[in-house]
């Protein structure tokens, strides 16, 4: 039965992408088929094989070690707050380690390891997805650097890109998550679903973009120019990345305070007026999508509510909500977890448009105009990844 539902889900996702396509006759189906097969193989490998489980456990262990080292610095500054009865505050245990991971990313950038990895994985991807080197580089870089920082690395080409290529770059940024906050996700949901989502979303972004926004890149256009960082001393760079990580943690904390409080307010208003909370109401709207992802119908409304929370607020609020749902089955929890690991929400439209506008005002305005279509495509990527995951749970 789950395979029939998965087939139905794929038909719905590809149908919705096809309806929104701005070049139906330009869609190339061979690269799409290859990437879908790769998604299925990789999901099976990560979720259902001993080698995949081993790799995920090692990846998780590495982040757990980083979190432990981060706690040394956090404990020094905040004293015994990390060891209080009932658990440390969310800001300290989940958000503050972002500072340390950001610093590590800076070091790997400084010693030229990350640029090498990003560039050559991107080149391999470009052979698979049939798109340009720039698009492939950007997808890998987005998964490591983040949805706003990645545009700095390709700022030489931002002003030269036509609308359709700019859309693909922005779609990749919204469909992935930055490596600096992966550790935070792993404290909230099972690490194997975080890793699975990271891998599947990388290909899913190209799959949906290839349908919604198909085009061909000529040899003359297929040029990759990566902006080199200004020459800094090691400690200048380290201080900059530490502060960047701290800013991210503060921004996420502020967003959480605002969104959690506003959702509680809106839930209270709806409950007093119509006897049902806003989140429950949205759950009915998103329940059909939860169902085609493989969630049993009796849990679809609850799962749909969490999915809607992610879209209208952000993934952290939704993950907090999911972690408090003890009655959901392991299958539903896994499927919804994979759906949540992306930046596909309304606030990301402003973040991405603002990042591009800071580099090129005209192109930033272009991004703002196709913002809703960007969210539409990125949301389909999350649904697609969740459907593929459901095949193996």
């Amino acid at each position: 039965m789950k395979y029939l539902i998965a087939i139905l889900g794929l038909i719905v996702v590809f149908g919705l992408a096809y309806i929104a396509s701005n070049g139906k006759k330009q869609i190339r189906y061979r690269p799409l088929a290859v990437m879908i097969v790769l998604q299925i193989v990789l999901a099976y490998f990560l979720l259902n094989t001993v080698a995949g489980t081993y790799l995920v456990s090692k990846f998780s262990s590495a982040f757990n070690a980083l979190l432990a080292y981060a706690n040394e610095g956090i404990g020094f500054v905040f004293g015994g707050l990390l060891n209080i009865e009932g658990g440390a505050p969310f800001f300290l245990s989940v958000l503050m380690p972002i500072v340390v991971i950001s610093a590590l990313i800076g070091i790997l950038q400084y010693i030229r390891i990350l640029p090498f990895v990003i560039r050559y994985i991107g080149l391999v991807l470009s052979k698979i997805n049939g798109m340009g080197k720039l698009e492939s580089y950007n997808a890998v870089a987005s998964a490591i650097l983040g949805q706003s920082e990645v545009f700095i690395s390709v700022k030489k080409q931002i002003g030269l890109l036509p609308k359709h290529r700019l859309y693909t770059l922005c779609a990749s940024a919204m469909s992935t998550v930055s490596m600096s906050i992966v550790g935070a996700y792993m404290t909230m949901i099972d690490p194997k679903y975080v890793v699975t989502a990271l891998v599947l979303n990388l290909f899913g972004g190209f799959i949906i973009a290839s349908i919604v926004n198909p085009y061909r890149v000529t040899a003359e256009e297929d040029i990759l120019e990566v902006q080199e960082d200004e020459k800094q001393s090691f400690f200048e760079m380290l201080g900059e990345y530490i502060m960047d990580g701290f800013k991210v943690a503060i921004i996420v904390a502020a967003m959480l305070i605002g969104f959690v409080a506003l959702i509680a307010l809106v839930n209270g208003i709806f409950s007093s007026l119509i006897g049902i909370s806003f989140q429950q109401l949205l759950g009915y709207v998103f329940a059909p999508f939860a169902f085609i992802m493989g969630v049993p119908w009796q849990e679809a409304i609850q799962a749909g509510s969490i999915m809607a929370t992610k879209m209208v607020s952000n993934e952290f609020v939704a993950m907090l909500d999911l972690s408090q749902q003890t009655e959901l089955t392991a299958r539903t929890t896994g499927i919804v977890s994979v759906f949540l690991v992306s930046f596909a929400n309304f606030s990301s439209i402003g973040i991405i448009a603002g990042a591009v506008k800071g580099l090129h005002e005209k192109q930033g305005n272009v991004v703002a105009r196709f913002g809703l279509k960007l969210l539409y495509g990125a949301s389909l990527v999350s649904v697609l990844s969740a459907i593929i995951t459901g095949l193996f749970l």
Side-chain angles (χ1 to χ4, degrees):
M1 183 64 181
K2 72 177 181 180
Y3 298 110
L4 291 176
I5 293 174
I7 292 170
L8 172 64
L10 291 175
I11 292 171
V12 171
V13 168
F14 294 144
L16 290 172
Y18 187 81
I19 290 169
S21 177
N22 56 18
K24 296 179 176 63
K25 293 182 179 180
Q26 294 177 276
I27 297 173
R28 289 176 289 169
Y29 293 97
R30 185 175 177 179
L32 285 177
V34 170
M35 288 188 285
I36 292 165
V37 170
L38 275 173
Q39 277 194 314
I40 293 171
V41 170
L42 289 168
Y44 175 79
F45 174 74
L46 291 170
L47 297 172
N48 279 22
T49 66
V50 174
T53 302
Y54 176 79
L55 285 176
V56 171
S57 68
K58 288 299 181 183
F59 190 79
S60 175
S61 297
F63 272 93
N64 285 336
L66 284 176
L67 294 177
Y69 296 136
N71 286 340
E72 293 292 323
I74 297 166
F76 179 80
V77 174
F78 293 98
L81 287 176
L82 277 176
N83 303 311
I84 61 175
E85 188 176 348
F90 180 86
F91 180 73
L92 299 184
S93 62
V94 177
L95 299 184
M96 278 291 94
I98 293 173
V99 176
V100 178
I101 296 173
S102 177
L104 181 60
I105 289 173
I107 293 170
L108 293 175
Q109 281 274 89
Y110 188 82
I111 60 179
R112 317 306 300 166
I113 291 177
L114 276 188
F116 177 84
V117 170
I118 292 170
R119 181 183 287 271
Y120 286 98
I121 291 179
L123 287 175
V124 172
L125 277 178
S126 68
K127 304 297 182 183
I128 297 170
N129 58 38
M131 289 188 167
K133 296 173 185 175
L134 177 64
E135 287 85 345
S136 299
Y137 167 87
N138 187 80
V140 180
S142 296
I144 296 175
L145 304 177
Q147 65 177 336
S148 54
E149 293 86 349
V150 66
F151 294 106
I152 298 173
S153 67
V154 293
K155 68 180 182 181
K156 287 183 179 180
Q157 289 168 271
I158 288 290
L160 307 174
L161 294 176
K163 179 181 176 181
H164 55 272
R165 295 191 74 186
L166 187 60
Y167 177 92
T168 301
L169 263 61
C170 294
S172 294
M174 190 180 282
S175 300
T176 56
V177 293
S178 61
M179 199 59 64
S180 63
I181 61 176
V182 164
Y185 292 159
M186 288 183 175
T187 65
M188 304 169 73
I189 59 177
D190 193 321
K192 70 179 178 181
Y193 299 128
V194 177
V195 177
T196 300
L198 289 173
V199 174
L200 296 186
N201 288 350
L202 189 62
F203 290 99
F206 288 121
I207 291 170
I208 299 301
S210 296
I211 301 173
V212 173
N213 183 49
Y215 58 87
R216 292 180 181 271
V217 178
T218 65
E220 292 78 19
E221 295 173 320
D222 196 14
I223 299 170
L224 174 61
E225 289 187 57
V226 179
Q227 176 73 24
E228 297 291 336
D229 292 332
E230 291 183 15
K231 194 64 179 176
Q232 295 177 298
S233 72
F234 177 81
F235 289 102
E236 282 179 316
M237 173 280 302
L238 191 59
E240 185 176 300
Y241 272 86
I242 288 172
M243 288 307 299
D244 286 344
F246 184 72
K247 289 173 187 175
V248 170
I250 294 295
I251 289 169
V252 171
M255 297 281 279
L256 285 172
I257 292 169
F259 277 119
V260 170
L262 287 173
I263 288 173
L265 172 63
V266 175
N267 280 340
I269 293 172
F270 272 74
S271 296
S272 62
L273 292 177
I274 61 176
I276 183 174
S277 72
F278 179 63
Q279 281 178 289
Q280 288 174 317
L281 189 62
L282 287 176
Y284 287 100
V285 176
F286 279 78
F289 291 98
F291 179 72
I292 64 169
M293 281 161 41
V295 174
W297 182 251
Q298 61 269 26
E299 297 178 287
I301 295 173
Q302 203 169 349
S305 174
I306 297 169
M307 293 164 60
T309 299
K310 180 237 183 165
M311 186 172 292
V312 300
S313 56
N314 61 44
E315 71 280 6
F316 277 101
V317 180
M319 286 177 188
L320 282 171
D321 197 1
L322 178 63
S323 65
Q324 294 165 2
Q325 306 296 326
T326 56
E327 64 275 16
L328 293 179
T329 61
R331 174 178 170 80
T332 296
T333 300
I335 291 171
V336 175
S337 294
V338 170
F339 175 86
L340 297 182
V341 183
S342 82
F343 288 142
N345 56 62
F346 283 102
S347 60
S348 287
I349 298 174
I351 292 171
I352 292 174
V356 175
K357 194 167 186 173
L359 299 170
H360 194 286
E361 185 168 354
K362 183 180 177 181
Q363 294 289 60
N365 293 332
V366 171
V367 173
R369 283 196 291 272
F370 60 57
L372 287 177
K373 191 171 184 179
L374 198 60
L375 177 58
Y376 181 86
S379 298
L380 289 179
V381 172
S382 294
V383 174
L384 176 61
S385 295
I387 290 170
I388 300 297
T389 300
L391 288 171
F392 304 107
L393 296 179

